Amino acid sequence: MPFFNPDFICLHYFIAAVSLEQAETTTDLPKGDMWSVHKFGGTCMGTAQRIQNVADIVLRDPCERKLVVVSAMSKVTDMMYNLVNKAQSRDDSYIAALDEVFEKHMAAAKDLLLGEDLARFLSQLHADISNLKAMLRAIYIAGHVTESFSDFVVGHGELWSAQMLSYAIKKSGTPCSWMDTREVLVVNPTGSNQVDPDYLESEKRLEKWFARGPAETIIATGFIASTPENIPTTLKRDGSDFSAAIIGSLVKACQVTIWTDVDGVFSADPRKVSEAVILSTLSYQEAWEMSYFGANVLHPRTIIPVMKYNIPIVIRNIFNLSAPGTMICQQPANENGDLEACVKAFATIDKLALVNVEGTGMAGVPGTASAIFGAVKDVGANVVMISQASSEHSVCFAVPEKEVASVAAALQVRFREALAAGRLSKVEVIHNCSVLAAVGLRMASTPGVSATLFDSLAKANINVRAIAQGSSEYNITVVLKQEDCVRALRAAHSRFFLSKTTLAVGIVGPGLIGHTLLNQLKDQAAVLKENMNIDLRVMGITGSRTMVLSDTGIDLTEWKEKLETEAEPANLEKFVHHLSENHFFPNRVLVDCTADTSVASNYYDWLKKGIHVITPNKKANSGPLDKYLKLRNLQRASYTHYFYEATVGAGLPIISTLRGLLETGDKILRIEGIFSGTLSYIFNNFEGARTFSNVVAEAKEAGYTEPDPRDDLSGTDVARKVIILARESGLKLDLSDIPVRSLVPEALRSCTSADEYMQKLPSFDQDWARERKDAEAAGEVLRYVGVVDVVNKKGQVELRRYKRDHPFAQLSGSDNIIAFTTSRYKDQPLIVRGPGAGAEVTAGGVFSDILRLASYLGAPS
């Protein structure tokens, strides 16, 4: 078989450098702000129409001189690599694949160009394809390809796109030249798939190129360059961006604009954080940090050339010219100087493992860290972050999951003796980790950034495994469970970029109270967001039969219609899963507006999942004592909140008042009150000649009672409130410990319906009239009260008589009144009084708890 030398063939076709050396400089290359550099990627150059759009953008640029760097048409680079791979594999289909490349460019040229320009381009295209066929045939025969030869073949995509764009600009009458940057850019391969530009040599060659063909608009090939020996090469990953930055630095341009298909740089990955925003500015260092952590910004090396001359890079969207984009420059001016402006963005890296090397023998021993990371280097693993305690007792670091097995094995071998002797206690691997990085140049000079970040993670119930922060404080990096990563990202982003508090709310029970609450939320949501920076999103509403779910928030102006037209069968487990797994909004709260014991039995599990719970439902706090204590212990031990103000006094601040007294060191002696708005109404109106049955019927008609008034008159509801207050005061009582005087005559307790009860109730009016008359004779009134006797550790519910000048005798309507007798308020009890019944005030109490939760989570109070 004849011997083929691909490199010889490559050099045979690449002789421009020889003639370049012979050229003499006749025109100086101007440098400075008169130059504007643009870079258009493969998507921008994807079709004839898009190439024409690029030409129009270049022509509209008002700068005196333009230098435009272009990539190959979309997917062409992959097609060219595929050609090389097929030829090397001796796959005959490389010929058809090359024909496909030819057809793609010929079709684009015919749509874009006319006349002589089209003829010249097609002539060059035919010649190039003919040469490529010969080169690929050589590869096919040899069954081998060198890197330089592969780079030479692949670089043709940029050559063709640059020529087409230059012809498109010329046809408008604007002079334009195109540049094969292999004649200009010189780079030195450094290994690890990287190259270093030779700026001095590149500048010399650019000046010589310009001397041969000066032009005010130059179209340059991206991605490709040459070695000092004039061997074709590429700039590797993100090479076209790198080309633009290098050329921008060589001409000291006023700006380098990178044109893409997004509006700019996002504050977080928009695929993970739907509320991510476009950043108007980034510093070079911030962009550098973000790109390291996987953000789709720029490769760090792209930033290096422009930093030296403070040349800004602007990221813009070719498909949305109205978007101003993101400017990457020297430290931007801080418009407002607040905490949120200090953190510019968040980025994550997944599929990591955390390696922890630990032992008392590490402390103060020089060279331990060197030995650890020497072993890591030997297996070629990439260390993403490092964290070491100041005690030097342990060192932990994150590496890609796919590399951790070899790292752990290498460390076991390297420290075999130290592990056997006990100087090292373990080499531990924690799998399934992710890294979250907060990036911002001004974090270094702003107190409270770390505290705010970790507070947001804690309140989203996220556990941090490791922390790293350099002294420059450009980023704060945390390692956490991979399953928590998206929720952590959204929690941190929400805290710094959205409202201080974004709450995902699930409403259980859209009955009278739930319905009223939803209407109150609808009326106040915009005001809360504008004035208090609280963003309430109702993610789901479920009744006993149907439910409606949303990923981003239900439009509360039409929640009733959605519950009727878009509902699905109610499933509480699915409802809770929907809320808990929606990580777009890390702060989640379930609001139980039912009186259902089975719903209340789920509170413990909800809190354990990190879901806050708010409710007017008394069943959990007045249920079995052991379950209540278990629930409260969990709530106290976590960052998850459980609020239930409306369980006792509807919208009255009963629970919060009691807690305030206890937390400030006061001692509760006795709590006595009229806790039922229904029974308050009945006894406030049971006077004069009115009969008891008449007043009960009136209360039922007005909607103050339950459908069956016996539910109110039995006293059980009051007893539940007494139990709740007793337990808040530290008493361990069960419902069975509370003696209750039922107002339902024993003979009527067996009535099969409310109607039957109401028909038979008048037969007991004389008994009630007699009891009222006895009280009136003594100058007293009847009141149905609940009592918590903390001193004697008991509670009771009873019908009592009070003098007419007593505060309990001064009530009207359905008002509640509660008197706290304490060490501080012994002679004159602390009184809380107000409406204690009705959907509006109860829903208002629940709403108040939602706002209290928001305040706990960071909203302004």
Side-chain angles (χ1 to χ4, degrees), residues 13 67 111 135 169 203 299 313 330 358 394 453 519 528 660 700 719 814 841:
Y13 288 112
L67 211 160
D111 289 342
M135 297 174 196
I169 291 174
E203 186 175 18
H299 193 281
I313 299 177
Q330 282 285 59
E358 186 175 311
S394 67
L453 173 63
N519 286 338
L528 291 172
K700 185 175 185 297
S814 61
V841 292

Side-chain angles (χ1 to χ4, degrees), residues 79 92 123 223 283 303 459 483 494 561 651 673 685 758 800:
M79 294 170 75
D92 290 332
S123 174
F223 184 57
S283 70
I303 301 167
K459 286 174 177 174
E483 64 191 60
S494 169
E561 293 81 357
N685 288 278
M758 292 302 297
R800 299 189 64 184

Side-chain angles (χ1 to χ4, degrees), residues 676-694:
S676 168
T678 301
L679 297 176
S680 176
Y681 179 87
I682 289 173
F683 284 101
N684 287 338
N685 288 278
F686 182 44
E687 57 186 9
R690 301 194 65 183
T691 64
F692 187 77
S693 62
N694 176 261

Side-chain angles (χ1 to χ4, degrees), residues 19 63 92 103 119 187 213 232 240 243 279-280 324 341 360 376 399 414 425 492 541 562 596 757 823 830 860:
S19 60
C63 278
D92 290 332
E103 293 293 337
V187 296
S240 293
S243 299
L279 302 172
S280 58
T360 54
V376 175
V399 296
R414 175 64 181 79
S425 58
I541 303 169
K562 287 184 178 294
D596 194 317
Y757 166 76
S823 295
L830 175 63

Side-chain angles (χ1 to χ4, degrees), residues 38-60:
H38 296 263
K39 178 265 173 177
F40 295 93
T43 303
C44 302
M45 302 288 290
T47 65
Q49 181 57 56
R50 290 183 182 178
I51 295 173
Q52 184 58 55
N53 293 343
V54 168
D56 294 340
I57 290 171
V58 173
L59 291 168
R60 286 196 296 268

Side-chain angles (χ1 to χ4, degrees), residues 678-699 713 741 743 761-762 764-776 780-784 799-800 804 809 811-813:
T678 301
L679 297 176
S680 176
Y681 179 87
I682 289 173
F683 284 101
N684 287 338
N685 288 278
F686 182 44
E687 57 186 9
R690 301 194 65 183
T691 64
F692 187 77
S693 62
N694 176 261
V695 175
V696 172
E698 180 181 274
L713 295 168
R741 175 179 171 179
L743 303 182
L761 184 58
F764 292 88
D765 280 344
Q766 287 187 358
D767 295 338
W768 280 110
R770 189 163 43 251
E771 193 160 357
R772 179 182 62 193
K773 184 177 179 182
D774 290 345
E776 289 175 345
E780 296 173 336
V781 297
L782 297 174
R783 294 292 184 262
Y784 195 73
L799 184 67
R800 299 189 64 184
R804 288 193 174 276
L811 296 184
S812 61

